[in-house]
Amino acid sequence: MANELTIGELAARSGVAQSALRFYEAEGLIHSRRTEGNQRRYERATLRRVAFVQAGRAAGVPLARIHDALATLPDS
């Protein structure tokens, strides 16, 4: 879909390393869909979720609490 970002695009726009994005996905903080070639595609709204995670981490909030807070929000 044209409105989606690759992991490289998400990393470049968010300033977060691809490895960190993969970790965030493994922890359930962000979500992607997979293409037929098994490549990750992220909705643009994921940029806001990544910014939220980064702000929480900078404030010393544990990832578990960030996860709980994000779980109350829609993915989009």
Side-chain angles (χ1 to χ4, degrees):
M1 297 173 89
N3 207 22
E4 294 178 319
L5 302 170
T6 64
I7 192 167
E9 292 168 333
L10 183 60
R13 291 182 187 203
S14 67
V16 176
Q18 291 183 28
S19 58
L21 295 172
R22 288 185 200 97
F23 174 75
Y24 292 168
E25 189 171 349
E27 293 295 310
L29 300 168
I30 62 174
H31 308 285
S32 70
R33 75 167 186 88
R34 296 296 183 118
T35 66
E36 288 184 20
N38 204 32
Q39 295 177 336
R40 291 173 168 86
R41 293 294 185 266
Y42 299 92
E43 291 183 13
R44 290 191 184 276
T46 306
L47 281 167
R48 288 190 297 273
R49 293 177 75 87
V50 171
F52 184 87
V53 172
Q54 290 299 100
R57 290 186 65 230
V61 178
L63 282 182
R65 286 192 56 205
I66 295 170
H67 180 276
D68 292 345
L70 285 171
T72 67
L73 303 173
D75 286 336
S76 59

Short mmCIF file of all heavy atoms in Angstrom, two decimals:
data_model
loop_
_atom_site.label_atom_id
_atom_site.label_comp_id
_atom_site.label_asym_id
_atom_site.label_seq_id
_atom_site.Cartn_x
_atom_site.Cartn_y
_atom_site.Cartn_z
N MET A 1 0.85 -1.18 0.00
CA MET A 1 0.00 0.00 0.00
C MET A 1 0.90 1.24 0.00
O MET A 1 1.91 1.29 0.67
CB MET A 1 -0.91 0.00 1.22
CG MET A 1 -1.88 -1.18 1.25
SD MET A 1 -2.80 -1.27 2.79
CE MET A 1 -4.17 -0.23 2.36
N ALA A 2 0.48 2.26 -0.70
CA ALA A 2 1.27 3.47 -0.85
C ALA A 2 1.39 4.25 0.45
O ALA A 2 2.30 5.04 0.61
CB ALA A 2 0.66 4.34 -1.94
N ASN A 3 0.50 4.03 1.37
CA ASN A 3 0.48 4.79 2.62
C ASN A 3 1.30 4.12 3.72
O ASN A 3 1.21 4.51 4.87
CB ASN A 3 -0.97 5.00 3.07
CG ASN A 3 -1.12 6.26 3.89
OD1 ASN A 3 -0.30 7.17 3.81
ND2 ASN A 3 -2.15 6.31 4.69
N GLU A 4 2.07 3.12 3.36
CA GLU A 4 2.85 2.37 4.35
C GLU A 4 4.33 2.71 4.22
O GLU A 4 4.80 3.18 3.19
CB GLU A 4 2.65 0.87 4.15
CG GLU A 4 1.24 0.43 4.45
CD GLU A 4 1.03 -1.05 4.20
OE1 GLU A 4 1.56 -1.57 3.20
OE2 GLU A 4 0.36 -1.68 5.02
N LEU A 5 5.05 2.43 5.30
CA LEU A 5 6.49 2.68 5.35
C LEU A 5 7.24 1.36 5.46
O LEU A 5 6.79 0.43 6.14
CB LEU A 5 6.83 3.52 6.57
CG LEU A 5 6.16 4.88 6.69
CD1 LEU A 5 6.43 5.48 8.06
CD2 LEU A 5 6.64 5.81 5.60
N THR A 6 8.40 1.29 4.83
CA THR A 6 9.28 0.15 5.04
C THR A 6 9.99 0.36 6.37
O THR A 6 9.95 1.46 6.95
CB THR A 6 10.34 0.05 3.93
OG1 THR A 6 11.19 1.20 4.00
CG2 THR A 6 9.71 -0.06 2.55
N ILE A 7 10.69 -0.65 6.85
CA ILE A 7 11.40 -0.49 8.10
C ILE A 7 12.51 0.56 7.96
O ILE A 7 12.78 1.33 8.89
CB ILE A 7 11.94 -1.84 8.64
CG1 ILE A 7 12.41 -1.68 10.09
CG2 ILE A 7 13.02 -2.41 7.72
CD1 ILE A 7 12.66 -2.99 10.81
N GLY A 8 13.13 0.63 6.80
CA GLY A 8 14.15 1.64 6.57
C GLY A 8 13.59 3.05 6.60
O GLY A 8 14.21 3.97 7.16
N GLU A 9 12.43 3.23 5.98
CA GLU A 9 11.78 4.54 6.00
C GLU A 9 11.36 4.93 7.41
O GLU A 9 11.53 6.07 7.83
CB GLU A 9 10.56 4.54 5.06
CG GLU A 9 10.92 4.44 3.60
CD GLU A 9 9.74 4.15 2.70
OE1 GLU A 9 8.74 3.54 3.17
OE2 GLU A 9 9.81 4.53 1.52
N LEU A 10 10.80 3.96 8.14
CA LEU A 10 10.39 4.23 9.52
C LEU A 10 11.60 4.60 10.38
O LEU A 10 11.54 5.54 11.17
CB LEU A 10 9.65 3.03 10.10
CG LEU A 10 9.10 3.18 11.52
CD1 LEU A 10 8.09 4.32 11.61
CD2 LEU A 10 8.46 1.88 11.98
N ALA A 11 12.69 3.88 10.19
CA ALA A 11 13.91 4.18 10.95
C ALA A 11 14.42 5.58 10.62
O ALA A 11 14.76 6.36 11.52
CB ALA A 11 14.98 3.13 10.65
N ALA A 12 14.45 5.93 9.34
CA ALA A 12 14.95 7.23 8.93
C ALA A 12 14.07 8.37 9.46
O ALA A 12 14.58 9.37 9.95
CB ALA A 12 15.04 7.30 7.41
N ARG A 13 12.78 8.19 9.39
CA ARG A 13 11.86 9.26 9.81
C ARG A 13 11.76 9.39 11.33
O ARG A 13 11.52 10.46 11.83
CB ARG A 13 10.48 9.03 9.21
CG ARG A 13 10.48 9.23 7.72
CD ARG A 13 9.12 9.06 7.13
NE ARG A 13 9.19 9.11 5.70
CZ ARG A 13 8.19 9.42 4.93
NH1 ARG A 13 7.02 9.72 5.44
NH2 ARG A 13 8.34 9.46 3.62
N SER A 14 11.94 8.28 12.03
CA SER A 14 11.80 8.31 13.49
C SER A 14 13.14 8.54 14.20
O SER A 14 13.16 8.91 15.37
CB SER A 14 11.19 7.01 13.99
OG SER A 14 12.07 5.92 13.79
N GLY A 15 14.24 8.28 13.50
CA GLY A 15 15.55 8.38 14.13
C GLY A 15 15.87 7.20 15.03
O GLY A 15 16.77 7.27 15.85
N VAL A 16 15.13 6.12 14.88
CA VAL A 16 15.31 4.91 15.70
C VAL A 16 15.90 3.81 14.82
O VAL A 16 15.46 3.61 13.69
CB VAL A 16 13.95 4.47 16.30
CG1 VAL A 16 14.08 3.17 17.06
CG2 VAL A 16 13.38 5.57 17.19
N ALA A 17 16.89 3.12 15.32
CA ALA A 17 17.55 2.07 14.55
C ALA A 17 16.58 0.94 14.17
O ALA A 17 15.63 0.65 14.92
CB ALA A 17 18.70 1.48 15.36
N GLN A 18 16.83 0.33 13.03
CA GLN A 18 16.00 -0.78 12.59
C GLN A 18 15.98 -1.90 13.63
O GLN A 18 14.94 -2.52 13.85
CB GLN A 18 16.48 -1.30 11.24
CG GLN A 18 16.23 -0.34 10.11
CD GLN A 18 16.63 -0.91 8.76
OE1 GLN A 18 16.62 -2.12 8.56
NE2 GLN A 18 16.99 -0.03 7.84
N SER A 19 17.11 -2.15 14.26
CA SER A 19 17.15 -3.21 15.28
C SER A 19 16.22 -2.87 16.44
O SER A 19 15.56 -3.76 16.99
CB SER A 19 18.58 -3.42 15.77
OG SER A 19 19.10 -2.22 16.32
N ALA A 20 16.15 -1.60 16.82
CA ALA A 20 15.25 -1.19 17.90
C ALA A 20 13.79 -1.35 17.46
O ALA A 20 12.95 -1.78 18.26
CB ALA A 20 15.52 0.25 18.31
N LEU A 21 13.50 -1.04 16.21
CA LEU A 21 12.13 -1.20 15.70
C LEU A 21 11.74 -2.67 15.72
O LEU A 21 10.60 -3.01 16.09
CB LEU A 21 12.00 -0.62 14.30
CG LEU A 21 12.19 0.89 14.20
CD1 LEU A 21 12.22 1.34 12.74
CD2 LEU A 21 11.09 1.63 14.96
N ARG A 22 12.65 -3.55 15.35
CA ARG A 22 12.36 -4.99 15.41
C ARG A 22 12.11 -5.42 16.86
O ARG A 22 11.21 -6.22 17.13
CB ARG A 22 13.51 -5.79 14.81
CG ARG A 22 13.60 -5.68 13.30
CD ARG A 22 14.69 -6.61 12.74
NE ARG A 22 15.08 -6.16 11.44
CZ ARG A 22 16.15 -5.40 11.19
NH1 ARG A 22 16.96 -5.05 12.18
NH2 ARG A 22 16.43 -5.02 9.96
N PHE A 23 12.90 -4.89 17.78
CA PHE A 23 12.71 -5.18 19.20
C PHE A 23 11.34 -4.68 19.66
O PHE A 23 10.62 -5.40 20.35
CB PHE A 23 13.83 -4.55 20.02
CG PHE A 23 13.63 -4.68 21.50
CD1 PHE A 23 13.85 -5.89 22.14
CD2 PHE A 23 13.21 -3.60 22.26
CE1 PHE A 23 13.65 -6.02 23.51
CE2 PHE A 23 13.01 -3.71 23.63
CZ PHE A 23 13.23 -4.93 24.25
N TYR A 24 10.99 -3.44 19.31
CA TYR A 24 9.68 -2.90 19.69
C TYR A 24 8.56 -3.77 19.15
O TYR A 24 7.56 -4.00 19.83
CB TYR A 24 9.50 -1.48 19.16
CG TYR A 24 10.39 -0.43 19.79
CD1 TYR A 24 10.49 0.83 19.23
CD2 TYR A 24 11.14 -0.68 20.94
CE1 TYR A 24 11.29 1.81 19.79
CE2 TYR A 24 11.94 0.28 21.51
CZ TYR A 24 12.01 1.53 20.93
OH TYR A 24 12.80 2.50 21.48
N GLU A 25 8.72 -4.27 17.94
CA GLU A 25 7.70 -5.14 17.37
C GLU A 25 7.63 -6.47 18.13
O GLU A 25 6.54 -6.95 18.44
CB GLU A 25 7.98 -5.39 15.89
CG GLU A 25 6.85 -6.10 15.20
CD GLU A 25 7.00 -6.17 13.70
OE1 GLU A 25 7.87 -5.49 13.13
OE2 GLU A 25 6.22 -6.91 13.08
N ALA A 26 8.77 -7.03 18.46
CA ALA A 26 8.80 -8.29 19.22
C ALA A 26 8.15 -8.12 20.59
O ALA A 26 7.53 -9.05 21.11
CB ALA A 26 10.24 -8.78 19.37
N GLU A 27 8.27 -6.92 21.17
CA GLU A 27 7.69 -6.63 22.48
C GLU A 27 6.21 -6.21 22.37
O GLU A 27 5.57 -5.96 23.39
CB GLU A 27 8.48 -5.51 23.17
CG GLU A 27 9.89 -5.91 23.54
CD GLU A 27 9.91 -7.02 24.58
OE1 GLU A 27 9.22 -6.90 25.61
OE2 GLU A 27 10.63 -8.01 24.37
N GLY A 28 5.68 -6.13 21.15
CA GLY A 28 4.28 -5.77 20.97
C GLY A 28 4.00 -4.28 21.08
O GLY A 28 2.84 -3.88 21.23
N LEU A 29 5.03 -3.45 20.98
CA LEU A 29 4.85 -2.00 21.08
C LEU A 29 4.38 -1.40 19.76
O LEU A 29 3.67 -0.39 19.74
CB LEU A 29 6.15 -1.33 21.53
CG LEU A 29 6.67 -1.79 22.89
CD1 LEU A 29 8.09 -1.30 23.10
CD2 LEU A 29 5.75 -1.30 24.00
N ILE A 30 4.84 -1.97 18.65
CA ILE A 30 4.41 -1.56 17.32
C ILE A 30 4.05 -2.81 16.54
O ILE A 30 4.41 -3.93 16.94
CB ILE A 30 5.47 -0.73 16.58
CG1 ILE A 30 6.76 -1.54 16.35
CG2 ILE A 30 5.76 0.58 17.32
CD1 ILE A 30 7.80 -0.82 15.49
N HIS A 31 3.36 -2.62 15.42
CA HIS A 31 2.91 -3.75 14.61
C HIS A 31 3.18 -3.47 13.14
O HIS A 31 3.17 -2.32 12.71
CB HIS A 31 1.41 -3.99 14.81
CG HIS A 31 1.02 -4.09 16.25
ND1 HIS A 31 1.27 -5.21 17.01
CD2 HIS A 31 0.44 -3.21 17.08
CE1 HIS A 31 0.85 -5.01 18.24
NE2 HIS A 31 0.33 -3.78 18.31
N SER A 32 3.41 -4.53 12.40
CA SER A 32 3.59 -4.41 10.96
C SER A 32 2.77 -5.50 10.28
O SER A 32 2.31 -6.44 10.93
CB SER A 32 5.06 -4.55 10.58
OG SER A 32 5.51 -5.88 10.78
N ARG A 33 2.62 -5.33 9.00
CA ARG A 33 2.10 -6.43 8.20
C ARG A 33 3.25 -6.90 7.34
O ARG A 33 4.24 -6.19 7.16
CB ARG A 33 0.89 -6.00 7.37
CG ARG A 33 1.21 -5.16 6.17
CD ARG A 33 0.03 -5.03 5.21
NE ARG A 33 0.46 -4.32 4.01
CZ ARG A 33 0.99 -4.90 2.94
NH1 ARG A 33 1.15 -6.22 2.89
NH2 ARG A 33 1.36 -4.19 1.90
N ARG A 34 3.15 -8.10 6.84
CA ARG A 34 4.22 -8.66 6.00
C ARG A 34 3.74 -8.73 4.55
O ARG A 34 2.59 -9.09 4.28
CB ARG A 34 4.62 -10.06 6.46
CG ARG A 34 5.23 -10.11 7.86
CD ARG A 34 6.54 -9.34 7.90
NE ARG A 34 7.17 -9.45 9.20
CZ ARG A 34 8.35 -10.00 9.40
NH1 ARG A 34 9.04 -10.49 8.40
NH2 ARG A 34 8.86 -10.03 10.61
N THR A 35 4.63 -8.38 3.64
CA THR A 35 4.33 -8.50 2.22
C THR A 35 4.47 -9.97 1.81
O THR A 35 4.91 -10.80 2.62
CB THR A 35 5.30 -7.65 1.37
OG1 THR A 35 6.62 -8.20 1.50
CG2 THR A 35 5.28 -6.19 1.80
N GLU A 36 4.15 -10.26 0.56
CA GLU A 36 4.32 -11.64 0.08
C GLU A 36 5.79 -12.05 0.14
O GLU A 36 6.10 -13.22 0.27
CB GLU A 36 3.78 -11.76 -1.34
CG GLU A 36 2.27 -11.71 -1.40
CD GLU A 36 1.73 -11.93 -2.81
OE1 GLU A 36 2.47 -12.48 -3.66
OE2 GLU A 36 0.58 -11.55 -3.03
N GLY A 37 6.69 -11.08 0.06
CA GLY A 37 8.13 -11.35 0.16
C GLY A 37 8.63 -11.32 1.59
O GLY A 37 9.82 -11.30 1.83
N ASN A 38 7.70 -11.28 2.56
CA ASN A 38 7.99 -11.30 4.00
C ASN A 38 8.70 -10.03 4.49
O ASN A 38 9.42 -10.06 5.47
CB ASN A 38 8.79 -12.54 4.40
CG ASN A 38 8.59 -12.88 5.87
OD1 ASN A 38 7.53 -12.65 6.44
ND2 ASN A 38 9.63 -13.40 6.49
N GLN A 39 8.47 -8.91 3.80
CA GLN A 39 9.03 -7.63 4.25
C GLN A 39 8.02 -6.92 5.13
O GLN A 39 6.82 -7.00 4.89
CB GLN A 39 9.39 -6.75 3.05
CG GLN A 39 10.49 -7.33 2.20
CD GLN A 39 10.76 -6.48 0.98
OE1 GLN A 39 9.90 -5.73 0.52
NE2 GLN A 39 11.96 -6.58 0.46
N ARG A 40 8.53 -6.22 6.14
CA ARG A 40 7.66 -5.47 7.04
C ARG A 40 7.14 -4.21 6.36
O ARG A 40 7.89 -3.52 5.68
CB ARG A 40 8.42 -5.06 8.30
CG ARG A 40 8.79 -6.18 9.22
CD ARG A 40 9.70 -5.65 10.33
NE ARG A 40 9.87 -6.60 11.39
CZ ARG A 40 10.79 -7.56 11.40
NH1 ARG A 40 11.62 -7.68 10.39
NH2 ARG A 40 10.89 -8.38 12.41
N ARG A 41 5.87 -3.89 6.63
CA ARG A 41 5.27 -2.64 6.20
C ARG A 41 4.52 -2.07 7.40
O ARG A 41 3.74 -2.77 8.05
CB ARG A 41 4.30 -2.83 5.03
CG ARG A 41 4.97 -3.26 3.74
CD ARG A 41 5.87 -2.15 3.19
NE ARG A 41 6.43 -2.50 1.90
CZ ARG A 41 7.62 -3.07 1.71
NH1 ARG A 41 8.35 -3.40 2.76
NH2 ARG A 41 8.06 -3.34 0.51
N TYR A 42 4.77 -0.79 7.68
CA TYR A 42 4.18 -0.12 8.83
C TYR A 42 3.23 0.98 8.37
O TYR A 42 3.54 1.71 7.43
CB TYR A 42 5.28 0.53 9.69
CG TYR A 42 6.27 -0.46 10.25
CD1 TYR A 42 7.43 -0.79 9.57
CD2 TYR A 42 6.04 -1.08 11.47
CE1 TYR A 42 8.34 -1.70 10.08
CE2 TYR A 42 6.94 -1.99 12.00
CZ TYR A 42 8.08 -2.29 11.30
OH TYR A 42 8.97 -3.20 11.82
N GLU A 43 2.11 1.11 9.07
CA GLU A 43 1.23 2.24 8.83
C GLU A 43 1.95 3.50 9.26
O GLU A 43 2.77 3.48 10.19
CB GLU A 43 -0.07 2.09 9.63
CG GLU A 43 -0.95 0.97 9.16
CD GLU A 43 -2.26 0.91 9.94
OE1 GLU A 43 -2.58 1.88 10.66
OE2 GLU A 43 -2.95 -0.10 9.81
N ARG A 44 1.63 4.63 8.63
CA ARG A 44 2.27 5.90 9.00
C ARG A 44 2.03 6.25 10.46
O ARG A 44 2.87 6.89 11.11
CB ARG A 44 1.80 7.02 8.09
CG ARG A 44 2.33 6.87 6.68
CD ARG A 44 2.09 8.10 5.85
NE ARG A 44 2.54 7.89 4.49
CZ ARG A 44 3.78 8.04 4.08
NH1 ARG A 44 4.72 8.40 4.93
NH2 ARG A 44 4.11 7.83 2.83
N ALA A 45 0.90 5.83 11.02
CA ALA A 45 0.59 6.11 12.43
C ALA A 45 1.63 5.49 13.37
O ALA A 45 1.74 5.91 14.52
CB ALA A 45 -0.80 5.60 12.77
N THR A 46 2.39 4.52 12.88
CA THR A 46 3.42 3.89 13.69
C THR A 46 4.48 4.91 14.11
O THR A 46 5.09 4.76 15.17
CB THR A 46 4.05 2.70 12.94
OG1 THR A 46 3.01 1.81 12.53
CG2 THR A 46 5.04 1.94 13.80
N LEU A 47 4.67 5.96 13.31
CA LEU A 47 5.62 7.01 13.68
C LEU A 47 5.25 7.61 15.04
O LEU A 47 6.11 7.88 15.87
CB LEU A 47 5.64 8.11 12.62
CG LEU A 47 6.46 7.81 11.36
CD1 LEU A 47 6.13 8.82 10.27
CD2 LEU A 47 7.93 7.81 11.69
N ARG A 48 3.96 7.83 15.26
CA ARG A 48 3.51 8.39 16.54
C ARG A 48 3.75 7.40 17.68
O ARG A 48 4.14 7.80 18.78
CB ARG A 48 2.03 8.78 16.47
CG ARG A 48 1.78 10.01 15.61
CD ARG A 48 0.36 10.52 15.75
NE ARG A 48 -0.65 9.58 15.30
CZ ARG A 48 -1.08 9.48 14.04
NH1 ARG A 48 -0.58 10.27 13.11
NH2 ARG A 48 -2.01 8.62 13.72
N ARG A 49 3.52 6.12 17.42
CA ARG A 49 3.73 5.12 18.46
C ARG A 49 5.22 5.04 18.82
O ARG A 49 5.58 4.95 20.00
CB ARG A 49 3.21 3.76 18.00
CG ARG A 49 1.68 3.73 17.86
CD ARG A 49 1.18 2.38 17.34
NE ARG A 49 1.24 1.36 18.35
CZ ARG A 49 0.28 1.11 19.24
NH1 ARG A 49 -0.83 1.83 19.24
NH2 ARG A 49 0.41 0.14 20.12
N VAL A 50 6.09 5.10 17.82
CA VAL A 50 7.52 5.07 18.08
C VAL A 50 7.93 6.30 18.89
O VAL A 50 8.71 6.20 19.84
CB VAL A 50 8.32 4.96 16.76
CG1 VAL A 50 9.82 5.14 17.01
CG2 VAL A 50 8.05 3.63 16.08
N ALA A 51 7.40 7.46 18.53
CA ALA A 51 7.70 8.68 19.28
C ALA A 51 7.24 8.55 20.73
O ALA A 51 7.94 9.00 21.66
CB ALA A 51 7.04 9.89 18.61
N PHE A 52 6.09 7.93 20.94
CA PHE A 52 5.57 7.72 22.29
C PHE A 52 6.51 6.81 23.09
O PHE A 52 6.83 7.09 24.24
CB PHE A 52 4.16 7.11 22.20
CG PHE A 52 3.47 6.94 23.52
CD1 PHE A 52 2.73 7.97 24.06
CD2 PHE A 52 3.55 5.73 24.20
CE1 PHE A 52 2.08 7.81 25.28
CE2 PHE A 52 2.90 5.56 25.42
CZ PHE A 52 2.17 6.61 25.96
N VAL A 53 6.96 5.74 22.45
CA VAL A 53 7.89 4.81 23.10
C VAL A 53 9.18 5.55 23.45
O VAL A 53 9.68 5.43 24.59
CB VAL A 53 8.19 3.59 22.21
CG1 VAL A 53 9.29 2.73 22.81
CG2 VAL A 53 6.92 2.76 22.00
N GLN A 54 9.71 6.31 22.53
CA GLN A 54 10.96 7.03 22.76
C GLN A 54 10.81 8.04 23.89
O GLN A 54 11.70 8.18 24.73
CB GLN A 54 11.42 7.72 21.48
CG GLN A 54 11.91 6.76 20.42
CD GLN A 54 13.10 5.95 20.87
OE1 GLN A 54 12.97 4.81 21.26
NE2 GLN A 54 14.27 6.54 20.83
N ALA A 55 9.69 8.74 23.93
CA ALA A 55 9.46 9.72 25.00
C ALA A 55 9.36 9.02 26.35
O ALA A 55 9.91 9.50 27.35
CB ALA A 55 8.19 10.53 24.71
N GLY A 56 8.67 7.91 26.37
CA GLY A 56 8.56 7.14 27.62
C GLY A 56 9.90 6.64 28.10
O GLY A 56 10.23 6.75 29.28
N ARG A 57 10.69 6.12 27.18
CA ARG A 57 12.02 5.63 27.55
C ARG A 57 12.89 6.76 28.07
O ARG A 57 13.62 6.61 29.05
CB ARG A 57 12.69 4.96 26.35
CG ARG A 57 12.03 3.63 25.98
CD ARG A 57 12.78 2.89 24.89
NE ARG A 57 14.10 2.50 25.41
CZ ARG A 57 15.25 2.75 24.76
NH1 ARG A 57 15.26 3.37 23.62
NH2 ARG A 57 16.38 2.35 25.28
N ALA A 58 12.82 7.93 27.41
CA ALA A 58 13.62 9.08 27.84
C ALA A 58 13.22 9.54 29.24
O ALA A 58 14.05 10.06 29.98
CB ALA A 58 13.46 10.23 26.84
N ALA A 59 11.95 9.33 29.59
CA ALA A 59 11.46 9.72 30.91
C ALA A 59 11.68 8.63 31.95
O ALA A 59 11.30 8.79 33.11
CB ALA A 59 9.98 10.07 30.83
N GLY A 60 12.25 7.51 31.51
CA GLY A 60 12.54 6.43 32.45
C GLY A 60 11.36 5.50 32.72
O GLY A 60 11.38 4.75 33.69
N VAL A 61 10.36 5.54 31.86
CA VAL A 61 9.18 4.68 32.04
C VAL A 61 9.54 3.27 31.55
O VAL A 61 10.06 3.11 30.44
CB VAL A 61 7.98 5.23 31.25
CG1 VAL A 61 6.78 4.32 31.39
CG2 VAL A 61 7.64 6.65 31.70
N PRO A 62 9.27 2.24 32.35
CA PRO A 62 9.57 0.87 31.92
C PRO A 62 8.76 0.48 30.68
O PRO A 62 7.62 0.93 30.50
CB PRO A 62 9.14 0.02 33.12
CG PRO A 62 9.09 0.94 34.27
CD PRO A 62 8.75 2.29 33.71
N LEU A 63 9.36 -0.35 29.83
CA LEU A 63 8.67 -0.78 28.60
C LEU A 63 7.33 -1.44 28.88
O LEU A 63 6.39 -1.30 28.10
CB LEU A 63 9.56 -1.71 27.78
CG LEU A 63 10.67 -1.06 26.97
CD1 LEU A 63 11.45 -2.12 26.19
CD2 LEU A 63 10.14 0.00 26.04
N ALA A 64 7.23 -2.16 29.98
CA ALA A 64 5.96 -2.81 30.31
C ALA A 64 4.85 -1.78 30.49
O ALA A 64 3.72 -1.99 30.05
CB ALA A 64 6.11 -3.66 31.57
N ARG A 65 5.16 -0.67 31.13
CA ARG A 65 4.16 0.39 31.32
C ARG A 65 3.83 1.08 30.01
O ARG A 65 2.69 1.43 29.76
CB ARG A 65 4.63 1.41 32.36
CG ARG A 65 4.55 0.83 33.77
CD ARG A 65 4.73 1.84 34.85
NE ARG A 65 3.76 2.94 34.74
CZ ARG A 65 3.97 4.15 35.23
NH1 ARG A 65 5.10 4.44 35.84
NH2 ARG A 65 3.05 5.07 35.11
N ILE A 66 4.85 1.27 29.17
CA ILE A 66 4.61 1.85 27.84
C ILE A 66 3.72 0.93 27.04
O ILE A 66 2.77 1.37 26.39
CB ILE A 66 5.95 2.11 27.11
CG1 ILE A 66 6.76 3.17 27.87
CG2 ILE A 66 5.70 2.54 25.68
CD1 ILE A 66 8.19 3.33 27.38
N HIS A 67 3.99 -0.37 27.10
CA HIS A 67 3.17 -1.37 26.40
C HIS A 67 1.72 -1.29 26.86
O HIS A 67 0.80 -1.27 26.05
CB HIS A 67 3.74 -2.77 26.63
CG HIS A 67 2.96 -3.84 25.96
ND1 HIS A 67 1.84 -4.40 26.52
CD2 HIS A 67 3.13 -4.45 24.76
CE1 HIS A 67 1.35 -5.31 25.70
NE2 HIS A 67 2.12 -5.36 24.63
N ASP A 68 1.52 -1.22 28.18
CA ASP A 68 0.16 -1.15 28.72
C ASP A 68 -0.56 0.11 28.24
O ASP A 68 -1.74 0.06 27.91
CB ASP A 68 0.19 -1.20 30.24
CG ASP A 68 0.64 -2.55 30.78
OD1 ASP A 68 0.67 -3.54 30.02
OD2 ASP A 68 0.98 -2.61 31.99
N ALA A 69 0.16 1.22 28.19
CA ALA A 69 -0.46 2.47 27.73
C ALA A 69 -0.81 2.38 26.24
O ALA A 69 -1.91 2.79 25.83
CB ALA A 69 0.47 3.64 27.98
N LEU A 70 0.09 1.83 25.44
CA LEU A 70 -0.19 1.71 24.01
C LEU A 70 -1.33 0.73 23.74
O LEU A 70 -2.05 0.89 22.74
CB LEU A 70 1.07 1.26 23.27
CG LEU A 70 2.15 2.33 23.10
CD1 LEU A 70 3.42 1.70 22.55
CD2 LEU A 70 1.67 3.45 22.21
N ALA A 71 -1.50 -0.25 24.59
CA ALA A 71 -2.57 -1.24 24.40
C ALA A 71 -3.95 -0.61 24.50
O ALA A 71 -4.92 -1.17 23.99
CB ALA A 71 -2.43 -2.37 25.42
N THR A 72 -4.04 0.56 25.11
CA THR A 72 -5.34 1.24 25.23
C THR A 72 -5.67 2.08 24.01
O THR A 72 -6.78 2.59 23.90
CB THR A 72 -5.38 2.15 26.48
OG1 THR A 72 -4.46 3.23 26.30
CG2 THR A 72 -5.04 1.36 27.75
N LEU A 73 -4.70 2.23 23.10
CA LEU A 73 -4.89 3.07 21.91
C LEU A 73 -5.11 2.21 20.68
O LEU A 73 -4.58 1.12 20.57
CB LEU A 73 -3.65 3.94 21.70
CG LEU A 73 -3.24 4.85 22.85
CD1 LEU A 73 -1.90 5.51 22.54
CD2 LEU A 73 -4.31 5.88 23.12
N PRO A 74 -5.84 2.76 19.69
CA PRO A 74 -5.98 2.03 18.42
C PRO A 74 -4.64 2.01 17.68
O PRO A 74 -3.82 2.94 17.84
CB PRO A 74 -7.03 2.83 17.65
CG PRO A 74 -7.03 4.18 18.28
CD PRO A 74 -6.58 4.01 19.70
N ASP A 75 -4.39 1.01 16.87
CA ASP A 75 -3.14 0.91 16.12
C ASP A 75 -3.00 2.07 15.14
O ASP A 75 -1.88 2.50 14.84
CB ASP A 75 -3.06 -0.42 15.35
CG ASP A 75 -2.76 -1.58 16.28
OD1 ASP A 75 -2.19 -1.36 17.36
OD2 ASP A 75 -3.11 -2.71 15.91
N SER A 76 -4.10 2.54 14.64
CA SER A 76 -4.03 3.62 13.64
C SER A 76 -4.16 4.97 14.27
O SER A 76 -4.14 5.97 13.65
CB SER A 76 -5.10 3.42 12.59
OG SER A 76 -6.38 3.42 13.19
#
